[in-house]
Amino acid sequence: MKPIWIVDDDESIRWVLEKALARENLATQSFSSARDAMAALQSGTPQVLVSDIRMPGASGLELLQTVKAKHPGIPVIIITAFSDLDSAVSAFQGGAFEYLAKPFDVDKAVELIRRALDESLRETDIEQGAAQTPEILGQAPAMQDVFRAIGRLSQSNVTVLITGESGSGKELVARALHKHSPRASQPFVALNTAAIPKDLLESELFGHERGAFTGAQAMRRGRFEQAEGGTLFLDEIGDMPLDLQTRLLRVLSDGHFYRVGGHQSLKANVRVIAATHQNLEQRVREGLFREDLYHRLNVIRLRLPSLRERSEDIPILARYFLAQSARQLGVEAKRLSPQAMQFLAQLEFPGNVRQLENLCNWITVMAPGQTVEIKDLPQDLVEERAHAPQPAQTLSAPASVAMAAPAAADGAHAAMPADLGNTSWISLLEAEAAQMLAQEQPEVMDILGRQFEAALIKIALKHTHGRKNDAAVRLGIGRNTITRKIQELGIGGAEDD
Protein backbone atom coordinates (compact mmCIF):
# COMPACT_ATOMS: atom_id res chain seq x y z
CA MET A 1 0.00 0.00 0.00
CA LYS A 2 1.23 3.51 -0.82
CA PRO A 3 1.89 6.07 1.95
CA ILE A 4 -0.47 8.81 3.07
CA TRP A 5 0.83 12.24 2.10
CA ILE A 6 0.50 15.11 4.58
CA VAL A 7 0.95 18.60 3.16
CA ASP A 8 0.95 21.49 5.65
CA ASP A 9 3.25 24.45 6.32
CA ASP A 10 2.60 24.01 10.06
CA GLU A 11 5.21 21.58 11.41
CA SER A 12 3.12 20.81 14.52
CA ILE A 13 0.14 19.68 12.38
CA ARG A 14 2.39 17.41 10.34
CA TRP A 15 3.93 15.95 13.54
CA VAL A 16 0.54 15.26 15.17
CA LEU A 17 -0.85 13.49 12.09
CA GLU A 18 2.35 11.52 11.53
CA LYS A 19 2.31 10.19 15.11
CA ALA A 20 -1.43 9.43 15.07
CA LEU A 21 -1.19 7.51 11.79
CA ALA A 22 1.96 5.70 12.93
CA ARG A 23 -0.04 4.30 15.85
CA GLU A 24 -2.43 2.87 13.24
CA ASN A 25 0.53 1.28 11.40
CA LEU A 26 -0.02 3.57 8.42
CA ALA A 27 2.97 4.88 6.47
CA THR A 28 3.18 8.63 5.86
CA GLN A 29 5.21 11.12 3.83
CA SER A 30 5.12 14.80 4.73
CA PHE A 31 5.64 18.01 2.75
CA SER A 32 5.84 21.61 3.97
CA SER A 33 4.45 23.10 0.75
CA ALA A 34 2.11 22.27 -2.12
CA ARG A 35 4.98 22.84 -4.58
CA ASP A 36 7.04 20.09 -2.96
CA ALA A 37 4.10 17.70 -3.17
CA MET A 38 3.49 18.58 -6.84
CA ALA A 39 7.13 17.85 -7.59
CA ALA A 40 6.90 14.50 -5.81
CA LEU A 41 3.92 13.54 -8.00
CA GLN A 42 6.36 13.23 -10.90
CA SER A 43 7.87 10.11 -9.36
CA GLY A 44 5.14 8.67 -7.13
CA THR A 45 1.59 8.93 -5.84
CA PRO A 46 -0.06 8.63 -2.42
CA GLN A 47 -2.88 6.34 -1.38
CA VAL A 48 -4.57 9.34 0.30
CA LEU A 49 -3.59 13.03 0.28
CA VAL A 50 -4.22 15.30 3.32
CA SER A 51 -3.52 18.95 2.58
CA ASP A 52 -3.88 22.36 4.21
CA ILE A 53 -5.84 24.80 2.06
CA ARG A 54 -3.87 28.01 2.72
CA MET A 55 -0.06 27.83 2.48
CA PRO A 56 2.70 30.12 1.23
CA GLY A 57 3.07 29.79 -2.52
CA ALA A 58 0.65 27.35 -4.13
CA SER A 59 -2.56 26.67 -2.21
CA GLY A 60 -4.14 23.38 -1.26
CA LEU A 61 -6.82 23.96 -3.89
CA GLU A 62 -4.16 24.23 -6.59
CA LEU A 63 -2.65 20.98 -5.34
CA LEU A 64 -6.13 19.42 -5.36
CA GLN A 65 -6.65 20.46 -8.99
CA THR A 66 -3.27 19.03 -10.00
CA VAL A 67 -3.89 15.72 -8.30
CA LYS A 68 -7.42 15.33 -9.70
CA ALA A 69 -6.23 16.16 -13.22
CA LYS A 70 -3.51 13.48 -13.18
CA HIS A 71 -4.82 10.95 -10.65
CA PRO A 72 -8.61 11.35 -10.20
CA GLY A 73 -8.89 8.20 -8.07
CA ILE A 74 -6.79 9.55 -5.16
CA PRO A 75 -8.98 10.79 -2.27
CA VAL A 76 -7.96 14.28 -1.11
CA ILE A 77 -8.86 15.61 2.35
CA ILE A 78 -8.65 19.40 2.70
CA ILE A 79 -7.94 20.86 6.16
CA THR A 80 -7.90 24.55 7.06
CA ALA A 81 -8.15 27.03 9.91
CA PHE A 82 -10.52 29.08 7.77
CA SER A 83 -13.75 27.11 8.00
CA ASP A 84 -15.68 29.40 5.70
CA LEU A 85 -18.33 28.38 3.20
CA ASP A 86 -16.36 29.53 0.15
CA SER A 87 -13.42 27.26 1.01
CA ALA A 88 -15.70 24.28 1.58
CA VAL A 89 -17.54 24.84 -1.70
CA SER A 90 -14.29 25.27 -3.62
CA ALA A 91 -12.84 22.10 -2.09
CA PHE A 92 -15.86 19.99 -2.97
CA GLN A 93 -16.17 21.47 -6.45
CA GLY A 94 -12.54 20.51 -6.98
CA GLY A 95 -13.31 16.91 -6.07
CA ALA A 96 -12.20 16.76 -2.43
CA PHE A 97 -13.13 13.62 -0.52
CA GLU A 98 -13.90 15.58 2.67
CA TYR A 99 -13.36 18.97 4.29
CA LEU A 100 -11.99 19.25 7.85
CA ALA A 101 -11.68 22.50 9.82
CA LYS A 102 -8.94 23.29 12.34
CA PRO A 103 -8.79 22.79 15.23
CA PHE A 104 -9.82 19.19 14.69
CA ASP A 105 -10.10 16.15 16.92
CA VAL A 106 -7.15 13.86 16.10
CA ASP A 107 -9.16 10.65 16.49
CA LYS A 108 -11.83 11.96 14.13
CA ALA A 109 -9.17 13.01 11.67
CA VAL A 110 -7.68 9.50 11.73
CA GLU A 111 -11.13 7.99 11.29
CA LEU A 112 -11.72 10.23 8.27
CA ILE A 113 -8.35 9.28 6.77
CA ARG A 114 -9.19 5.59 7.28
CA ARG A 115 -12.48 6.07 5.42
CA ALA A 116 -10.63 7.73 2.55
CA LEU A 117 -8.07 4.91 2.62
CA ASP A 118 -10.77 2.23 2.44
CA GLU A 119 -12.38 4.08 -0.47
CA SER A 120 -9.05 4.31 -2.28
CA LEU A 121 -8.34 0.61 -1.85
CA ARG A 122 -11.85 -0.32 -3.01
CA GLU A 123 -11.48 1.85 -6.11
CA THR A 124 -8.14 0.17 -6.86
CA ASP A 125 -9.79 -3.26 -6.63
CA ILE A 126 -12.59 -2.14 -8.95
CA GLU A 127 -10.17 -0.73 -11.52
CA GLN A 128 -8.09 -3.92 -11.50
CA GLY A 129 -11.18 -6.08 -11.73
CA ALA A 130 -12.61 -4.01 -14.55
CA ALA A 131 -9.35 -4.27 -16.47
CA GLN A 132 -9.36 -8.05 -16.12
CA THR A 133 -13.07 -8.77 -16.67
CA PRO A 134 -14.93 -5.76 -18.06
CA GLU A 135 -17.56 -7.78 -19.91
CA ILE A 136 -19.45 -9.44 -17.01
CA LEU A 137 -19.15 -8.77 -13.28
CA GLY A 138 -20.38 -11.04 -10.53
CA GLN A 139 -19.12 -12.85 -7.47
CA ALA A 140 -22.39 -14.56 -6.46
CA PRO A 141 -22.40 -18.38 -6.69
CA ALA A 142 -25.10 -18.27 -9.38
CA MET A 143 -22.91 -16.05 -11.57
CA GLN A 144 -19.86 -18.21 -10.94
CA ASP A 145 -21.88 -21.10 -12.40
CA VAL A 146 -22.50 -18.98 -15.51
CA PHE A 147 -18.79 -18.18 -15.82
CA ARG A 148 -17.92 -21.88 -15.52
CA ALA A 149 -20.44 -22.70 -18.27
CA ILE A 150 -18.91 -20.08 -20.56
CA GLY A 151 -15.51 -21.66 -19.93
CA ARG A 152 -16.77 -25.14 -20.78
CA LEU A 153 -18.37 -23.86 -23.98
CA SER A 154 -15.31 -21.84 -25.03
CA GLN A 155 -14.15 -24.27 -27.70
CA SER A 156 -17.61 -25.34 -28.84
CA ASN A 157 -19.84 -24.28 -31.73
CA VAL A 158 -22.97 -25.76 -30.16
CA THR A 159 -26.24 -23.79 -30.21
CA VAL A 160 -27.02 -22.14 -26.85
CA LEU A 161 -30.34 -20.94 -25.42
CA ILE A 162 -29.97 -18.21 -22.77
CA THR A 163 -32.96 -17.67 -20.49
CA GLY A 164 -33.53 -15.03 -17.84
CA GLU A 165 -35.51 -11.93 -17.02
CA SER A 166 -35.27 -8.78 -19.13
CA GLY A 167 -32.25 -6.69 -18.22
CA SER A 168 -30.31 -9.56 -16.64
CA GLY A 169 -27.46 -9.38 -19.19
CA LYS A 170 -28.27 -12.06 -21.76
CA GLU A 171 -26.55 -10.21 -24.62
CA LEU A 172 -23.40 -9.76 -22.51
CA VAL A 173 -23.28 -13.52 -21.97
CA ALA A 174 -23.80 -14.12 -25.69
CA ARG A 175 -20.91 -11.75 -26.47
CA ALA A 176 -18.73 -13.53 -23.92
CA LEU A 177 -19.54 -16.90 -25.51
CA HIS A 178 -18.53 -15.48 -28.88
CA LYS A 179 -15.38 -13.79 -27.55
CA HIS A 180 -14.08 -17.01 -26.01
CA SER A 181 -15.05 -19.25 -28.95
CA PRO A 182 -13.06 -20.28 -32.05
CA ARG A 183 -15.19 -17.72 -33.96
CA ALA A 184 -13.94 -14.74 -31.92
CA SER A 185 -12.15 -13.15 -34.89
CA GLN A 186 -15.34 -13.23 -36.99
CA PRO A 187 -18.45 -10.98 -36.70
CA PHE A 188 -20.88 -10.98 -33.78
CA VAL A 189 -24.29 -9.87 -35.02
CA ALA A 190 -27.23 -9.24 -32.69
CA LEU A 191 -30.90 -8.96 -33.58
CA ASN A 192 -33.82 -8.36 -31.23
CA THR A 193 -36.64 -10.22 -32.97
CA ALA A 194 -39.27 -8.47 -30.83
CA ALA A 195 -38.11 -5.01 -31.95
CA ILE A 196 -38.51 -5.62 -35.72
CA PRO A 197 -41.98 -5.45 -37.37
CA LYS A 198 -43.14 -8.83 -38.63
CA ASP A 199 -43.16 -7.67 -42.27
CA LEU A 200 -39.50 -6.64 -42.07
CA LEU A 201 -38.12 -9.39 -39.85
CA GLU A 202 -37.74 -11.95 -42.65
CA SER A 203 -35.68 -9.50 -44.68
CA GLU A 204 -33.61 -8.58 -41.62
CA LEU A 205 -32.76 -12.24 -41.05
CA PHE A 206 -32.26 -13.54 -44.57
CA GLY A 207 -31.85 -10.44 -46.74
CA HIS A 208 -33.71 -9.74 -49.98
CA GLU A 209 -33.14 -9.46 -53.70
CA ARG A 210 -33.72 -6.29 -55.65
CA GLY A 211 -37.42 -5.92 -56.50
CA ALA A 212 -38.49 -8.60 -54.02
CA PHE A 213 -41.11 -6.18 -52.64
CA THR A 214 -42.11 -2.54 -52.89
CA GLY A 215 -39.18 -0.40 -51.82
CA ALA A 216 -36.53 -3.08 -52.37
CA GLN A 217 -34.39 -0.92 -54.67
CA ALA A 218 -31.23 -2.98 -54.20
CA MET A 219 -30.10 -6.37 -52.99
CA ARG A 220 -29.57 -6.49 -49.22
CA ARG A 221 -27.62 -9.01 -47.16
CA GLY A 222 -29.43 -10.27 -44.07
CA ARG A 223 -28.08 -10.95 -40.60
CA PHE A 224 -27.17 -14.55 -41.44
CA GLU A 225 -24.87 -13.36 -44.23
CA GLN A 226 -23.49 -10.52 -42.10
CA ALA A 227 -22.56 -13.02 -39.37
CA GLU A 228 -20.88 -15.44 -41.77
CA GLY A 229 -18.18 -17.39 -39.93
CA GLY A 230 -19.18 -15.78 -36.64
CA THR A 231 -22.10 -15.70 -34.22
CA LEU A 232 -25.71 -14.62 -34.70
CA PHE A 233 -27.47 -13.64 -31.47
CA LEU A 234 -31.28 -13.77 -31.68
CA ASP A 235 -32.72 -11.99 -28.66
CA GLU A 236 -36.35 -12.47 -27.54
CA ILE A 237 -36.68 -15.52 -29.76
CA GLY A 238 -39.98 -16.38 -28.06
CA ASP A 239 -41.66 -13.48 -29.91
CA MET A 240 -40.70 -14.69 -33.38
CA PRO A 241 -43.76 -15.24 -35.68
CA LEU A 242 -44.60 -18.89 -36.44
CA ASP A 243 -43.94 -18.66 -40.20
CA LEU A 244 -40.45 -17.30 -39.57
CA GLN A 245 -39.86 -20.01 -36.98
CA THR A 246 -40.29 -22.50 -39.82
CA ARG A 247 -37.63 -20.76 -41.93
CA LEU A 248 -35.24 -20.52 -38.97
CA LEU A 249 -35.72 -24.24 -38.26
CA ARG A 250 -34.76 -25.04 -41.85
CA VAL A 251 -31.52 -23.05 -41.53
CA LEU A 252 -30.64 -24.77 -38.27
CA SER A 253 -31.45 -28.18 -39.76
CA ASP A 254 -29.53 -28.08 -43.05
CA GLY A 255 -27.56 -24.82 -42.93
CA HIS A 256 -29.13 -23.33 -46.07
CA PHE A 257 -31.48 -20.40 -46.69
CA TYR A 258 -32.83 -18.14 -49.45
CA ARG A 259 -33.00 -14.36 -49.56
CA VAL A 260 -36.51 -12.96 -49.82
CA GLY A 261 -37.38 -13.09 -53.53
CA GLY A 262 -34.29 -15.15 -54.27
CA HIS A 263 -33.91 -18.53 -55.97
CA GLN A 264 -30.32 -19.35 -55.12
CA SER A 265 -29.65 -21.39 -51.98
CA LEU A 266 -27.06 -19.82 -49.68
CA LYS A 267 -24.92 -21.70 -47.17
CA ALA A 268 -24.90 -20.37 -43.59
CA ASN A 269 -21.75 -20.97 -41.53
CA VAL A 270 -23.07 -19.31 -38.38
CA ARG A 271 -23.30 -20.23 -34.72
CA VAL A 272 -26.74 -19.31 -33.37
CA ILE A 273 -27.23 -18.17 -29.78
CA ALA A 274 -30.82 -17.43 -28.82
CA ALA A 275 -32.25 -15.74 -25.75
CA THR A 276 -35.66 -15.19 -24.21
CA HIS A 277 -37.29 -13.98 -21.01
CA GLN A 278 -40.34 -16.14 -21.73
CA ASN A 279 -41.17 -19.71 -20.76
CA LEU A 280 -40.69 -21.47 -24.11
CA GLU A 281 -42.07 -24.76 -22.81
CA GLN A 282 -45.33 -22.97 -21.95
CA ARG A 283 -45.42 -21.27 -25.35
CA VAL A 284 -44.92 -24.68 -27.00
CA ARG A 285 -47.91 -26.04 -25.05
CA GLU A 286 -49.96 -23.02 -26.13
CA GLY A 287 -49.06 -23.58 -29.79
CA LEU A 288 -47.16 -20.28 -30.03
CA PHE A 289 -43.71 -21.80 -30.52
CA ARG A 290 -42.68 -24.77 -32.61
CA GLU A 291 -41.61 -27.73 -30.51
CA ASP A 292 -39.06 -28.92 -33.08
CA LEU A 293 -37.45 -25.45 -33.16
CA TYR A 294 -37.41 -25.38 -29.37
CA HIS A 295 -35.42 -28.61 -29.28
CA ARG A 296 -33.05 -27.30 -31.98
CA LEU A 297 -32.33 -24.20 -29.91
CA ASN A 298 -32.28 -25.88 -26.51
CA VAL A 299 -29.10 -27.90 -27.06
CA ILE A 300 -27.36 -26.15 -24.15
CA ARG A 301 -29.45 -23.98 -21.84
CA LEU A 302 -27.88 -21.25 -19.77
CA ARG A 303 -30.09 -19.57 -17.17
CA LEU A 304 -29.10 -16.11 -15.95
CA PRO A 305 -30.12 -15.26 -12.37
CA SER A 306 -32.10 -12.10 -11.69
CA LEU A 307 -30.34 -9.34 -9.76
CA ARG A 308 -32.43 -10.04 -6.64
CA GLU A 309 -31.06 -13.61 -6.71
CA ARG A 310 -27.52 -12.24 -6.52
CA SER A 311 -27.94 -9.12 -4.42
CA GLU A 312 -24.38 -9.53 -3.11
CA ASP A 313 -23.22 -8.37 -6.57
CA ILE A 314 -25.05 -5.03 -6.33
CA PRO A 315 -22.14 -3.14 -4.67
CA ILE A 316 -19.51 -4.20 -7.21
CA LEU A 317 -21.91 -3.57 -10.11
CA ALA A 318 -22.91 -0.16 -8.74
CA ARG A 319 -19.29 0.97 -8.35
CA TYR A 320 -18.47 -0.29 -11.84
CA PHE A 321 -21.43 1.52 -13.44
CA LEU A 322 -20.70 4.73 -11.51
CA ALA A 323 -17.09 4.65 -12.74
CA GLN A 324 -18.22 3.86 -16.29
CA SER A 325 -20.78 6.66 -16.29
CA ALA A 326 -18.23 9.13 -14.93
CA ARG A 327 -15.73 8.22 -17.67
CA GLN A 328 -18.38 8.77 -20.34
CA LEU A 329 -19.27 12.20 -18.96
CA GLY A 330 -15.68 13.18 -18.14
CA VAL A 331 -16.38 13.77 -14.44
CA GLU A 332 -15.21 12.26 -11.16
CA ALA A 333 -17.08 9.11 -10.12
CA LYS A 334 -19.68 9.48 -7.39
CA ARG A 335 -19.36 7.34 -4.24
CA LEU A 336 -22.26 5.64 -2.48
CA SER A 337 -22.19 5.92 1.30
CA PRO A 338 -22.34 2.60 3.21
CA GLN A 339 -25.97 3.36 4.10
CA ALA A 340 -26.90 4.11 0.48
CA MET A 341 -25.11 0.98 -0.72
CA GLN A 342 -26.94 -1.12 1.86
CA PHE A 343 -30.22 0.49 0.79
CA LEU A 344 -29.62 -0.45 -2.86
CA ALA A 345 -28.64 -4.00 -1.92
CA GLN A 346 -32.09 -4.46 -0.37
CA LEU A 347 -34.06 -3.34 -3.45
CA GLU A 348 -35.84 -5.79 -5.74
CA PHE A 349 -34.66 -4.24 -9.06
CA PRO A 350 -37.36 -5.72 -11.33
CA GLY A 351 -35.41 -4.27 -14.28
CA ASN A 352 -32.32 -6.18 -13.10
CA VAL A 353 -28.80 -5.08 -14.08
CA ARG A 354 -30.11 -2.67 -16.73
CA GLN A 355 -32.18 -0.85 -14.10
CA LEU A 356 -29.15 -0.59 -11.80
CA GLU A 357 -27.03 0.78 -14.64
CA ASN A 358 -29.69 3.40 -15.46
CA LEU A 359 -29.86 4.34 -11.78
CA CYS A 360 -26.08 4.84 -11.67
CA ASN A 361 -26.28 7.08 -14.74
CA TRP A 362 -28.97 9.12 -12.95
CA ILE A 363 -26.81 9.38 -9.82
CA THR A 364 -23.81 10.58 -11.83
CA VAL A 365 -25.84 13.40 -13.39
CA MET A 366 -28.32 14.32 -10.64
CA ALA A 367 -26.85 13.51 -7.21
CA PRO A 368 -25.66 16.76 -5.56
CA GLY A 369 -22.44 15.64 -3.83
CA GLN A 370 -19.57 13.26 -4.47
CA THR A 371 -20.71 11.01 -1.62
CA VAL A 372 -24.27 9.89 -2.28
CA GLU A 373 -26.61 9.34 0.67
CA ILE A 374 -30.04 7.67 0.68
CA LYS A 375 -31.75 11.07 0.53
CA ASP A 376 -29.90 11.80 -2.74
CA LEU A 377 -31.41 8.80 -4.55
CA PRO A 378 -34.51 9.16 -6.78
CA GLN A 379 -37.50 10.01 -4.59
CA ASP A 380 -39.76 7.35 -6.09
CA LEU A 381 -37.17 4.70 -5.24
CA VAL A 382 -36.95 5.84 -1.62
CA GLU A 383 -40.73 6.06 -1.27
CA GLU A 384 -41.21 2.64 -2.85
CA ARG A 385 -38.81 1.10 -0.33
CA ALA A 386 -40.45 2.97 2.55
CA HIS A 387 -43.85 1.44 1.72
CA ALA A 388 -42.49 -2.07 1.14
CA PRO A 389 -43.05 -4.69 3.88
CA GLN A 390 -40.07 -4.75 6.23
CA PRO A 391 -38.72 -7.94 7.85
CA ALA A 392 -39.15 -8.33 11.59
CA GLN A 393 -36.20 -6.99 13.59
CA THR A 394 -35.26 -10.22 15.34
CA LEU A 395 -32.13 -12.29 15.61
CA SER A 396 -32.00 -16.01 15.12
CA ALA A 397 -30.92 -18.16 18.02
CA PRO A 398 -27.35 -18.80 16.81
CA ALA A 399 -26.56 -15.07 16.43
CA SER A 400 -27.95 -14.19 19.83
CA VAL A 401 -26.23 -17.06 21.56
CA ALA A 402 -22.94 -15.97 19.94
CA MET A 403 -23.38 -12.66 21.75
CA ALA A 404 -24.17 -14.33 25.05
CA ALA A 405 -21.30 -16.65 25.78
CA PRO A 406 -17.77 -15.57 24.73
CA ALA A 407 -14.71 -16.35 26.77
CA ALA A 408 -14.29 -12.70 27.81
CA ALA A 409 -17.27 -12.99 30.18
CA ASP A 410 -15.57 -15.86 32.05
CA GLY A 411 -18.90 -17.66 32.34
CA ALA A 412 -20.10 -15.18 34.98
CA HIS A 413 -23.48 -14.59 33.43
CA ALA A 414 -26.18 -16.99 32.38
CA ALA A 415 -26.71 -17.95 28.75
CA MET A 416 -29.62 -16.42 26.90
CA PRO A 417 -32.70 -18.53 26.21
CA ALA A 418 -32.54 -20.57 23.02
CA ASP A 419 -36.08 -19.70 21.88
CA LEU A 420 -35.56 -16.16 20.55
CA GLY A 421 -38.03 -16.13 17.68
CA ASN A 422 -40.38 -13.42 18.96
CA THR A 423 -37.94 -11.44 21.16
CA SER A 424 -36.31 -8.18 20.10
CA TRP A 425 -32.51 -8.39 20.10
CA ILE A 426 -32.36 -4.97 21.73
CA SER A 427 -34.43 -6.25 24.66
CA LEU A 428 -32.08 -9.21 24.98
CA LEU A 429 -29.09 -6.89 24.93
CA GLU A 430 -30.65 -4.67 27.62
CA ALA A 431 -31.39 -7.69 29.80
CA GLU A 432 -27.86 -9.02 29.40
CA ALA A 433 -26.33 -5.63 30.23
CA ALA A 434 -28.58 -5.26 33.29
CA GLN A 435 -27.54 -8.68 34.57
CA MET A 436 -23.82 -7.94 34.10
CA LEU A 437 -24.13 -4.55 35.78
CA ALA A 438 -26.04 -6.11 38.70
CA GLN A 439 -23.17 -8.56 39.15
CA GLU A 440 -20.75 -5.59 39.09
CA GLN A 441 -18.74 -6.99 36.21
CA PRO A 442 -16.05 -4.59 34.91
CA GLU A 443 -15.78 -3.29 31.33
CA VAL A 444 -19.36 -4.15 30.38
CA MET A 445 -19.28 -1.87 27.33
CA ASP A 446 -16.09 -3.45 26.01
CA ILE A 447 -17.28 -7.02 26.59
CA LEU A 448 -20.69 -6.57 24.95
CA GLY A 449 -19.24 -4.43 22.17
CA ARG A 450 -16.72 -7.11 21.23
CA GLN A 451 -19.45 -9.77 21.35
CA PHE A 452 -21.69 -7.67 19.13
CA GLU A 453 -18.92 -7.01 16.57
CA ALA A 454 -17.87 -10.66 16.57
CA ALA A 455 -21.45 -11.83 15.98
CA LEU A 456 -21.95 -9.41 13.08
CA ILE A 457 -18.68 -10.28 11.38
CA LYS A 458 -19.23 -14.05 11.79
CA ILE A 459 -22.70 -13.84 10.27
CA ALA A 460 -21.43 -11.65 7.40
CA LEU A 461 -18.55 -14.07 6.68
CA LYS A 462 -20.99 -16.97 6.71
CA HIS A 463 -23.25 -15.11 4.29
CA THR A 464 -20.34 -14.37 1.91
CA HIS A 465 -18.79 -17.85 2.26
CA GLY A 466 -15.75 -16.48 4.09
CA ARG A 467 -14.93 -13.65 1.65
CA LYS A 468 -13.66 -10.73 3.75
CA ASN A 469 -14.02 -8.03 1.11
CA ASP A 470 -17.63 -8.95 0.39
CA ALA A 471 -18.40 -9.12 4.12
CA ALA A 472 -16.89 -5.67 4.64
CA VAL A 473 -19.03 -4.19 1.86
CA ARG A 474 -22.21 -5.77 3.24
CA LEU A 475 -21.42 -4.47 6.74
CA GLY A 476 -20.53 -1.01 5.46
CA ILE A 477 -16.97 -1.04 6.83
CA GLY A 478 -13.54 -0.91 5.22
CA ARG A 479 -11.41 -3.85 4.14
CA ASN A 480 -8.64 -2.88 6.56
CA THR A 481 -11.17 -2.49 9.37
CA ILE A 482 -12.62 -5.98 8.99
CA THR A 483 -9.14 -7.49 8.74
CA ARG A 484 -8.12 -5.76 11.96
CA LYS A 485 -11.33 -6.79 13.74
CA ILE A 486 -10.94 -10.43 12.67
CA GLN A 487 -7.45 -10.48 14.18
CA GLU A 488 -8.46 -8.63 17.37
CA LEU A 489 -11.53 -10.79 17.97
CA GLY A 490 -9.90 -14.09 16.99
CA ILE A 491 -12.48 -14.91 14.34
CA GLY A 492 -11.76 -17.85 12.04
CA GLY A 493 -13.21 -18.92 8.70
CA ALA A 494 -12.20 -15.86 6.65
CA GLU A 495 -10.50 -16.09 3.27
CA ASP A 496 -7.64 -13.83 2.17
CA ASP A 497 -9.30 -12.39 -0.92
Side-chain angles (χ1 to χ4, degrees):
M1 186 176 69
K2 300 174 184 176
I4 297 165
W5 285 11
I6 303 169
V7 185
D8 200 307
D9 60 321
D10 188 331
E11 185 178 0
S12 62
I13 294 293
R14 299 198 304 271
W15 184 87
V16 167
L17 289 176
E18 288 170 1
K19 295 302 180 185
L21 294 172
R23 287 197 299 270
E24 298 287 320
N25 296 319
L26 295 174
T28 61
Q29 186 173 351
S30 294
F31 304 87
S32 59
S33 71
R35 293 294 181 198
D36 290 344
M38 290 179 187
L41 283 171
Q42 303 299 321
S43 56
T45 57
Q47 200 74 47
V48 174
L49 175 65
V50 183
S51 175
D52 191 8
I53 200 170
R54 299 181 190 272
M55 295 176 284
S59 70
L61 290 180
E62 291 178 74
L63 175 58
L64 172 65
Q65 293 169 0
T66 301
V67 170
K68 288 301 175 182
K70 296 181 178 179
H71 309 284
I74 297 176
V76 179
I77 298 171
I78 293 294
I79 57 176
T80 179
F82 301 88
S83 54
D84 57 282
L85 180 61
D86 289 342
S87 296
V89 170
S90 298
F92 280 117
Q93 286 180 340
F97 178 81
E98 191 54 271
Y99 174 84
L100 187 64
K102 298 176 186 176
F104 53 80
D105 181 87
V106 176
D107 290 338
K108 289 185 177 179
V110 171
E111 181 183 353
L112 176 59
I113 292 170
R114 274 213 169 272
R115 281 204 293 117
L117 187 61
D118 290 340
E119 180 67 26
S120 175
L121 293 172
R122 275 200 299 268
E123 290 300 321
T124 300
D125 289 343
I126 291 298
E127 290 172 5
Q128 292 174 347
Q132 295 167 1
T133 317
E135 52 202 45
I136 313 175
L137 295 173
Q139 298 176 345
M143 285 306 295
Q144 293 302 311
D145 290 340
V146 172
F147 297 156
R148 280 191 286 270
I150 292 173
R152 295 189 188 102
L153 293 167
S154 62
Q155 297 304 311
S156 171
N157 286 316
V158 68
T159 302
V160 178
L161 176 64
I162 306 172
T163 62
E165 296 179 6
S166 295
S168 56
K170 296 187 288 293
E171 183 171 342
L172 281 178
V173 171
R175 289 183 181 277
L177 285 168
H178 171 75
K179 178 180 178 180
H180 298 285
S181 76
R183 298 174 178 264
S185 60
Q186 301 302 316
F188 175 90
V189 177
L191 177 67
N192 187 325
T193 59
I196 307 295
K198 177 182 176 181
D199 295 340
L200 299 178
L201 184 56
E202 184 177 17
S203 174
E204 282 292 326
L205 278 171
F206 306 109
H208 61 255
E209 299 288 353
R210 179 181 179 183
F213 51 83
T214 303
Q217 301 298 322
M219 185 274 290
R220 183 180 184 278
R221 296 166 65 243
R223 301 301 174 94
F224 268 98
E225 287 183 80
Q226 293 171 21
E228 178 65 21
T231 301
L232 176 61
F233 174 56
L234 300 177
D235 199 4
E236 300 302 348
I237 192 72
D239 293 310
M240 178 176 281
L242 278 169
D243 53 344
L244 284 184
Q245 291 179 29
T246 303
R247 289 206 61 182
L248 178 60
L249 175 64
R250 187 174 300 119
V251 179
L252 294 177
S253 299
D254 60 21
H256 290 82
F257 67 96
Y258 293 87
R259 297 191 191 110
V260 176
H263 303 285
Q264 180 181 356
S265 174
L266 301 174
K267 175 70 175 175
N269 175 23
V270 173
R271 181 192 193 181
V272 173
I273 299 176
T276 182
H277 73 281
Q278 302 190 56
N279 186 329
L280 287 189
E281 292 93 335
Q282 180 64 31
R283 290 186 69 80
V284 168
R285 289 192 292 269
E286 294 171 351
L288 299 174
F289 201 85
R290 292 184 60 111
E291 183 175 6
D292 45 5
L293 176 59
Y294 167 72
H295 291 302
R296 280 284 181 182
L297 294 172
N298 193 35
V299 178
I300 297 291
R301 181 185 293 214
L302 207 52
R303 178 188 175 274
L304 278 190
S306 63
L307 190 54
R308 63 182 172 276
E309 294 177 79
R310 54 180 187 118
S311 58
E312 58 262 58
D313 284 340
I314 290 177
I316 188 174
L317 287 168
R319 285 193 290 269
Y320 175 77
F321 288 139
L322 287 172
Q324 182 184 61
S325 181
R327 283 195 300 271
Q328 292 170 351
L329 294 175
V331 298
E332 184 180 1
K334 299 289 178 70
R335 296 179 291 270
L336 289 164
S337 72
Q339 293 78 15
M341 189 70 83
Q342 183 179 14
F343 177 85
L344 291 187
Q346 295 172 347
L347 296 179
E348 288 292 317
F349 284 108
N352 291 297
V353 179
R354 186 183 297 123
Q355 182 182 357
L356 177 60
E357 182 178 10
N358 292 340
L359 173 62
C360 291
N361 290 335
W362 185 97
I363 289 172
T364 300
V365 175
M366 300 298 294
Q370 285 302 113
T371 300
V372 180
E373 303 292 346
I374 294 176
K375 62 182 176 60
D376 301 322
L377 298 174
Q379 194 61 33
D380 55 344
L381 207 64
V382 177
E383 291 175 354
E384 178 184 336
R385 178 62 186 170
H387 291 96
Q390 299 297 314
Q393 298 297 312
T394 59
L395 274 181
S396 63
S400 297
V401 171
M403 288 178 60
D410 293 329
H413 58 282
M416 292 183 184
D419 184 10
L420 306 174
N422 299 316
T423 307
S424 165
W425 72 271
I426 296 179
S427 298
L428 291 170
L429 178 61
E430 291 173 348
E432 183 69 11
Q435 184 176 2
M436 295 176 69
L437 291 168
Q439 294 174 353
E440 298 184 355
Q441 292 193 37
E443 300 179 351
V444 173
M445 177 73 78
D446 181 60
I447 291 173
L448 290 179
R450 289 172 64 85
Q451 294 174 23
F452 179 76
E453 289 182 334
L456 281 180
I457 293 173
K458 285 178 181 177
I459 290 297
L461 288 171
K462 181 178 179 181
H463 182 75
T464 61
H465 306 288
R467 295 191 296 271
K468 287 191 299 186
N469 287 359
D470 293 352
V473 170
R474 300 306 297 271
L475 290 173
I477 61 177
R479 180 176 61 179
N480 291 342
T481 301
I482 197 171
T483 300
R484 187 176 70 254
K485 292 291 185 183
I486 287 171
Q487 294 173 346
E488 290 176 355
L489 300 170
I491 297 171
E495 297 178 359
D496 290 326
D497 44 8

